[in-house]
Amino acid sequence: MARRYLMIGAHPDDADICFGGTAIKLAKAGHTVKFVSFCNGDCGHFSMDCAALAARRQKETQQAKQVLGIAEYEVLAQNHDCELVPSLENRREVIRLIRGFKPDVVLTHRLCDYHADHRAVSQLVLDASYMVQVPLFCPDFPILEKAPVFAYVYDDFTDPRPCRADAVVAIDDAMEQKCRALDCQKSQFYEWLAYELGYYGKVDFDAMPWEKRYEYLLAHWGRRYRASAEVARAKLCEKYGETAGSKVVYAELFEYCPYGGRKNLTAAEFAALFNV
């Protein structure tokens, strides 16, 4: 049965980073995937005008959408970077997003995250997880016939505890396509994030052939998915078999969020939602 997946990230590249490989595989398998950036991305640079940057990042998301093969990539233009708070107005916006898309699974950041916008989005989705099924809250969008499952994407933070590998997807076979989607987010991976890493101005990314840019992306962001694979190694071996699971290099993992209307989901049922 085809399922619907809604990834709500804080910024216009967060969903690509956290869920891109799995989204590629889900879309190819006939499932429907939507990415949402709750902020417009207008602070993710060291020199650009904020309005021009937001417009540029909107275009980059739509290029990434085509590469990923997903159904939608929505950026909420009204929300500025570095200003997001878990307000009542924003809670209503999350409720409307979820009810409007009617997902089977909603994914977001964990609450223990370095970025205030990530934490705010996580809190907003967490607050919506129960209220999405309250009929008199935001009655302009009817409640769903079936409450969605809520889940967190991987991070490497350990305070208060590490992320659990409740579900895992091997993405070795989607890694190049995923990196081509990251390649669309040029303002980030070749400017802002390269600036943070000390590479901006020292490397001519425009002159690089794709193979070299791919090596660069794997070197700096592939480590996230290599780390995910190691964290979830036992789960990979359980899912794909000992031999195949031990050879997986890149993976995306997901943690079950026990809130909302699907409290009694078994571990096997949650893991099965990511069988692609």
Side-chain angles (χ1 to χ4, degrees):
M1 183 182 296
R3 297 184 294 271
R4 298 173 67 82
Y5 295 78
L6 177 63
M7 168 66 205
I8 305 177
H11 306 112
D13 58 344
D14 287 337
D16 316 45
I17 292 170
C18 299
F19 193 52
T22 302
I24 288 166
K25 299 184 75 163
L26 287 168
K28 286 181 177 177
H31 304 290
T32 303
V33 181
K34 177 176 180 175
F35 285 0
V36 172
S37 173
F38 216 80
C39 298
N40 64 16
D42 61 357
C43 284
H45 210 274
F46 51 88
S47 64
M48 282 190 70
D49 171 79
C50 290
L53 177 59
R56 182 183 178 190
R57 297 196 70 184
Q58 164 66 22
K59 291 179 181 178
E60 289 175 342
T61 62
Q62 300 315 297
Q63 293 166 354
K65 168 185 171 290
Q66 295 302 317
V67 173
L68 293 163
I70 62 175
E72 297 180 63
Y73 202 139
E74 182 177 358
V75 179
L76 303 188
Q78 70 272 22
N79 297 324
H80 300 289
D81 283 10
C82 304
E83 298 181 5
L84 191 65
V85 294
S87 65
L88 179 56
E89 179 184 358
N90 285 330
R91 185 191 302 168
R92 289 193 178 105
E93 186 65 42
V94 172
I95 295 288
R96 293 180 180 119
L97 280 168
I98 294 172
R99 290 181 182 171
F101 184 67
K102 300 179 176 62
D104 296 287
V105 182
V106 179
L107 302 104
T108 194
H109 310 280
R110 288 202 303 162
L111 277 170
C112 53
D113 196 287
Y114 78 103
H115 201 301
D117 290 341
H118 294 190
R119 295 194 300 272
V121 165
S122 181
Q123 187 66 63
L124 285 163
V125 175
L126 186 62
D127 291 346
S129 63
Y130 172 76
M131 294 182 190
V132 73
Q133 292 301 97
V134 176
L136 296 185
F137 187 62
C138 299
D140 50 328
F141 278 73
I143 64 169
L144 306 176
E145 292 183 9
K146 185 178 182 182
V149 174
F150 288 82
Y152 299 116
V153 293
Y154 171 75
D155 61 66
D156 60 1
F157 304 114
T158 58
D159 187 7
R161 61 164 177 79
C163 189
R164 291 194 314 268
D166 294 332
V168 64
V169 177
I171 60 167
D172 292 35
D173 55 349
M175 199 60 191
E176 182 171 359
Q177 188 176 347
K178 178 186 173 82
C179 284
R180 285 190 181 275
L182 302 185
D183 186 64
C184 295
Q185 308 272 8
K186 296 187 187 302
S187 68
Q188 300 307 290
F189 292 95
Y190 304 137
E191 294 175 28
W192 171 237
L193 296 174
Y195 173 82
E196 285 192 321
L197 290 169
Y199 284 94
Y200 186 76
K202 299 177 182 178
V203 179
D204 188 353
F205 292 103
D206 290 334
M208 275 187 182
W210 162 246
E211 291 75 16
K212 290 296 183 182
R213 298 200 308 278
Y214 185 37
E215 287 179 10
Y216 174 83
L217 293 169
L218 285 180
H220 293 288
W221 285 274
R223 68 184 67 176
R224 176 190 183 95
Y225 316 110
R226 292 191 292 271
S228 296
E230 291 309 315
V231 168
R233 186 62 63 191
K235 200 80 173 180
L236 286 165
C237 291
E238 176 186 327
K239 180 174 182 176
Y240 298 105
E242 192 72 30
T243 301
S246 65
K247 294 178 180 178
V248 172
V249 178
Y250 302 107
E252 291 173 347
L253 67 83
F254 309 98
E255 178 179 313
Y256 173 58
C257 173
Y259 302 107
R262 303 287 293 278
K263 299 182 181 68
N264 299 319
L265 204 70
T266 67
E269 287 170 335
F270 179 74
L273 292 169
F274 299 89
N275 282 346
V276 285

